[in-house]
Amino acid sequence: DAKTTQPPSMDCAEGRAANLPCNHSTISGNEYVYWYRQIHSQGPQYIIHGLKNNETNEMASLIITEDRKSSTLILPHATLRDTAVYYCIVRVAHYGQNFVFGPGTRLSVLP
Amino acid sequence: DTEVTQTPKHLVMGMTNKKSLKCEQHMGHRAMYWYKQKAKKPPELMFVYSYEKLSINESVPSRFSPECPNSSLLNLHLHALQPEDSALYLCASSGLAGFGEQFFGPGTRLTVL
């Protein structure tokens, strides 16, 4: 079973920041938080991951709370092409450990 | 090259047919994966190959037979499938099994009649 909970759907206005929350209250100290997204009928696309510190790359920012029980993925200026299902996954970095996808959040970016 | 390719994009087969799905990566990754995704559901892991050896089989029926001929190629052989096996089949790769991000291919949309 997935170890995360996410809202099933969210809307965001084009050009505004999209803030996608994820709850992982049972996360262990050596588990990373990963974010993927899946645009309709395409393969999942890696976005970002982190352990404790906030992370930023060209696609998004990842904010992890100090207790690590929740995180937020931020798309700073959402476009229509960001409409997708966003998956938050926690996983320890260890041989044999694999990604378990939950239902994710369906983000709709509206014009 | 950070791409995982899959062929064919679409496949329609009867329940008595034998067909194969192909996946290829040239990133030097040593772990490759097969996932199955039903409509409006998240991907589910089927198989994991590490260094060309099958390391995980998630209790997948034997009508699905994976093969890893070399470090760049992953096949999924299909035989005697059922209509409920219709799904999007996704291939992925990562540097090492259990570490780092996985790169996914575009998938093969399979329909079993």
Side-chain angles (χ1 to χ4, degrees):
Chain A
D1 290 345
K3 300 179 182 179
T4 63
T5 54
Q6 300 176 251
S9 64
M10 293 181 63
D11 291 340
C12 176
E14 188 178 18
R16 304 295 294 269
N19 296 278
L20 294 98
C22 179
N23 183 293
H24 32 80
S25 58
T26 62
I27 193 170
S28 59
N30 58 354
E31 285 185 307
Y32 289 77
V33 180
Y34 283 81
W35 283 84
Y36 278 79
R37 73 179 181 184
Q38 188 172 23
I39 296 169
H40 181 62
S41 294
Q42 297 183 22
Q45 177 189 22
Y46 166 78
I47 301 173
I48 199 167
H49 75 281
L51 183 62
K52 296 181 183 178
N53 300 323
N54 298 336
E55 302 289 343
T56 295
N57 63 21
E58 66 277 4
M59 289 184 67
S61 295
L62 173 60
I63 308 298
I64 303 174
T65 57
E66 193 168 341
D67 63 7
R68 302 207 328 120
K69 292 185 177 183
S70 65
S71 60
T72 301
L73 179 74
I74 301 173
L75 308 178
H77 306 286
T79 71
L80 299 178
R81 288 175 295 179
D82 292 321
T83 293
V85 177
Y86 287 76
Y87 297 103
C88 170
I89 306 165
V90 296
R91 189 195 70 173
V92 66
H94 191 275
Y95 179 79
Q97 297 298 311
N98 296 294
F99 290 122
V100 178
F101 288 81
T105 295
R106 182 170 297 277
L107 175 69
S108 298
V109 180
L110 307 174
Chain B
D1 183 2
T2 58
E3 190 179 20
V4 176
T5 59
Q6 290 188 245
T7 54
K9 288 187 178 181
H10 301 274
L11 178 63
V12 179
M13 61 186 291
M15 289 189 285
T16 58
N17 292 158
K18 287 184 180 181
K19 296 287 185 183
S20 297
L21 310 184
K22 180 181 174 181
C23 173
E24 195 165 0
Q25 58 88 14
H26 295 287
M27 294 177 277
H29 288 171
R30 304 317 300 264
M32 297 186 76
Y33 311 80
W34 281 114
Y35 289 81
K36 174 181 178 179
Q37 186 174 23
K38 300 283 282 184
K40 300 189 184 300
K41 298 291 187 181
E44 294 181 344
L45 183 67
M46 300 174 72
F47 301 105
V48 180
Y49 271 82
S50 178
Y51 287 92
E52 301 156 52
K53 294 192 186 308
L54 182 65
S55 64
I56 293 177
N57 176 341
E58 292 286 357
S59 303
V60 179
S62 59
R63 57 185 184 269
F64 295 92
S65 176
E67 178 197 21
C68 190
N70 60 56
S71 60
S72 300
L73 284 174
L74 186 66
N75 299 320
L76 186 62
H77 303 298
L78 314 172
H79 174 54
L81 294 193
Q82 303 297 310
E84 58 265 29
D85 296 321
S86 298
L88 181 68
Y89 287 85
L90 295 160
C91 174
S93 71
S94 66
L96 294 171
F99 295 88
E101 61 268 34
Q102 292 179 13
F103 294 84
F104 284 80
T108 293
R109 176 75 58 189
L110 173 68
T111 302
V112 182
L113 300 177

